[in-house]
Amino acid sequence: AGLYCVVCRTALGPSVHPKPVLTPLALSMPVALPDASSGDLEDAAAKAQLSVSLLAAVAGRGGASTDGGDALRAAQAAADKAALRLFHAACRGERPARAGGSG
């Protein structure tokens, strides 16, 4: 999953001649960390939690079927797994403040 954008060189907007060029960007959560070692884990945990929230909202509106319930359980398991990986990385890096706030 990604995002396509037109990169502007000036504040006036994109050039229209020649045709603007679409540039693919990776879709990720902005995370400010002193070291970038757990940035990917933070991103995965945030995406997993967002997935759980979206599926729970759909289930709350009455759109839950058997497959929807299974998808919600699978998303919750993936979110828990991502949170545990983040917790483990924080403990391994001796960052107790990060370990307490993960998940």
Side-chain angles (χ1 to χ4, degrees), residues 47-75:
K47 283 181 180 177
Q49 192 58 42
L50 181 63
S51 176
V52 168
S53 298
L54 290 173
L55 287 171
V58 168
R61 283 192 287 162
S65 63
T66 304
D67 294 338
D70 292 342
L72 180 58
R73 281 189 289 283

